[in-house]
Amino acid sequence: MSDDTMTMDEAAWRARLSPEQFRVLRKHGTERAGTSPLNAEKRPGLFVCAGCGQKLFDAGTKFESGTGWPSFWAPLEGAVATSKDRAFFMTRTEVHCARCGGHLGHVFADGPRPTGQRYCMNGVAMAFEPAK
Ligand SMILES: [Zn+2]
């Protein structure tokens, strides 16, 4: 854990986040596919953590995966961390914010070049900051 790791108790997160953000970020929830306005976001800019504001993904790495969730082929360096998620009898790689630990989504090995990775994110777990 680095010095800038942010920890807050559950009540503090509940007060800070919307109910849907809390469900996804703090309870490993998944938003319904196709519901995030960030699916259609195509401007240059940065996607940041809705929990703590950490910069997560550059819009230049976003691609249309057809899944209904915002998808990226690479995170910003050091922005996210991963862990194994064995829920539902499958092993998936869970992606969370490196700063606040908020659950963002999962990463799969069926993405496009150059990385071959598909970071399948919950839009509600992020906010978009258009480039100036
Ligand atoms: Zn965060």
Side-chain angles (χ1 to χ4, degrees):
M1 291 262 179
S2 63
D3 286 333
D4 58 359
T5 299
M6 186 170 135
T7 54
M8 293 202 296
D9 67 19
E10 185 161 317
W13 279 118
R14 211 180 268 283
R16 183 185 177 98
L17 302 172
S18 74
E20 177 69 356
Q21 286 174 331
F22 182 82
R23 190 180 72 81
V24 171
L25 282 163
R26 309 313 310 179
K27 297 294 177 187
H28 286 211
T30 299
E31 76 188 2
R32 209 150 48 83
T35 57
S36 173
L38 295 186
N39 278 312
E41 182 56 67
K42 291 186 165 52
R43 291 173 290 171
L46 291 172
F47 292 82
V48 306
C49 175
C52 72
Q54 161 115 312
K55 295 173 174 58
L56 301 174
F57 295 96
D58 186 287
T61 64
K62 189 172 187 284
F63 69 99
E64 184 46 66
S65 63
T67 59
W69 290 287
S71 302
F72 304 84
W73 46 261
L76 296 173
E77 193 173 346
V80 304
T82 58
S83 59
K84 292 294 181 207
D85 171 355
R86 293 197 169 77
F88 308 113
F89 308 100
M90 316 183 272
T91 299
R92 298 182 297 177
T93 303
E94 186 256 337
V95 178
H96 54 267
C97 173
R99 181 158 177 254
C100 72
H103 173 75
L104 302 170
H106 292 87
V107 58
F108 302 93
D110 58 5
R113 291 197 292 176
T115 62
Q117 305 277 289
R118 173 169 61 93
Y119 285 81
C120 185
M121 301 290 101
N122 289 284
V124 73
M126 302 185 294
F128 181 68
E129 295 180 351
K132 305 254 171 8

